Amino acid sequence: MMISMERTSSLPLQPPTYGNLITILSIDGGGIRGLIPGTILAFLESELQKLDGEDARIADYFDVIAGTSTGGLVTAMLTTPDENDRPLFAAKDIKDFYLNNCPKIFPQDSCPFAPATKMIKAVTGPKYDGKYLHMLVKEKLGNTRLNQTLTNVVIPTFDIKRLQPTIFSSYEVKKTPTINALLSDICISTSAAPTYLPAHYFETQDSTGKPREFNLIDGGVAANNPTLLAMGEVTKEIMGGSSDFFPIKPMDYGRFLVISLGTGSQKVEGKYGASEAAKWGVLDWLSSSGGSPLVDVFMHVSADMVDFHLSAVFQALHLEANYLRIQDDNLSGAVASVDIATKKNLNDLARTGEALLKKPVSKVDLDTGGCKACNTETNEEALGRFAKKLSCERRLRLARSPHGHNSASLKQF
């Protein structure tokens, strides 16, 4: 039995208990480099539309979408409902959003004394005031809260007062209502990269009116690649006996279908050398000619270690076909930055994403610091393969689910 997807876009993705897989999309942090996964997502969504019609959207196919920093913003864009209860943004809209707004979020100083000004700012406060970002996010996301997203989301932040991660999870919000914050506050918080943007404070209230305060910075401090975090949230749900996952076992990795999107990293030679870093003091670690070494370090190590772990696990279980990591490890110059938001550089980043589609699927190699090709399959081909799996999984769940099966909008043939 097959199901036509015509006019089913209003139906939410049915729970994994009616299917064979648990589908996860993860998007790294990386400032303006969010253009790279944005370009990849536009291609994936176009492949889904070829299969299921032009109304198909990314949120229709994934049980969980996780994002850190700029990835958290993309996550919110893809899962915030509009007035018709459909995603506020199509994936193809992400590129123009970044091209139009990044120059205002990260205004470039063309003054000849800019290097000295940057050094002073590194001492006295964050590089950017964040005012435009705050205004933009609040305007776009409005009063939407965590529990209102079109599919489950996982967005990490770090609470500098508690000195521990705060994870905004659609699963956790059912048990901990005080994390049911505005998506705008969550996005501002997960994007508040140290030295670049200011930390963010806000409050929520419990059922008795008691306030809970949040003092948050960039989620990259906790998990710049949130793939493992998303899988952990699902595992907790399974262990808790959620009916959405019956009868899936907690460690059944064979059920996971994972797409993890990086935002690019510096080429293998890297920005910094030991002889250079050996002379650095506090200010040098916070700001150098290439950016912020400290921020670069915690972002890259977090992302690479997660990929290394998951690649090994999926390979050991002979499930390589269920895990796709797309990352460009050969960025250099301005495109490797998180904030050089010139028109040229933003367009270069979009082209980098397009070129990445043509490159072979690869995985991190800790011996060399770079990535190595897994096979001859390109990222574009792999995404086409995953799109077919995602489409089949959605159709299967709709066929098995009482809600999907009885819906008048479904045509069976």
Side-chain angles (χ1 to χ4, degrees), residues 17-38:
T17 189
Y18 298 114
N20 293 332
L21 300 168
I22 302 167
T23 54
I24 294 176
L25 171 65
S26 176
I27 311 162
D28 286 13
I32 60 171
R33 299 202 309 266
L35 266 164
I36 295 175

Side-chain angles (χ1 to χ4, degrees), residues 8 43 66 90 100 112 126 191 243 278-279 309 325 353 383 390 407 411:
T8 66
F43 176 80
N100 294 333
S191 302
S243 59
K279 304 170 186 176
H309 170 77
R325 171 70 172 171
L383 286 168
L390 290 165
S407 172
K411 294 180 179 179

Side-chain angles (χ1 to χ4, degrees), residues 269-288:
E269 294 86 73
K271 290 183 181 180
Y272 319 110
S275 58
E276 178 188 5
K279 304 170 186 176
W280 287 349
V282 173
L283 294 183
D284 300 299
W285 276 102
L286 294 177
S287 179
S288 78

Side-chain angles (χ1 to χ4, degrees), residues 174-195:
K174 302 169 190 173
K175 297 170 276 188
T176 313
T178 53
I179 67 167
N180 192 28
L182 291 169
L183 275 182
S184 57
D185 281 324
I186 296 171
C187 286
I188 291 168
S189 300
T190 194
S191 302
T195 76

Side-chain angles (χ1 to χ4, degrees), residues 216-273:
L216 304 177
I217 60 173
D218 195 328
V221 175
N224 199 55
N225 175 347
T227 311
L228 203 55
L229 186 61
M231 295 175 69
E233 287 296 297
V234 168
T235 300
K236 286 196 298 182
E237 280 294 291
I238 297 172
M239 292 175 65
S242 170
S243 59
D244 285 351
F245 296 94
F246 179 82
I248 302 170
K249 296 182 173 65
M251 294 304 292
D252 191 355
Y253 271 56
R255 294 277 194 153
F256 284 104
L257 186 74
V258 180
I259 298 177
S260 175
L261 302 180
T263 57
S265 63
Q266 187 77 8
K267 61 184 179 181
V268 175
E269 294 86 73
K271 290 183 181 180
Y272 319 110

Side-chain angles (χ1 to χ4, degrees), residues 45 54 78 120-121 127 143 169 196 229 258 281-282 289 337 351 358 363 393 401 405:
E45 192 166 86
E54 62 181 15
L78 296 174
I120 293 172
K121 283 186 177 180
K127 196 173 180 180
N143 294 318
S169 162
Y196 287 97
L229 186 61
V258 180
V282 173
S289 59
S337 77
R351 284 190 287 270
K358 306 296 183 182
K363 63 180 180 180
E393 177 68 13
S401 167
H405 182 74

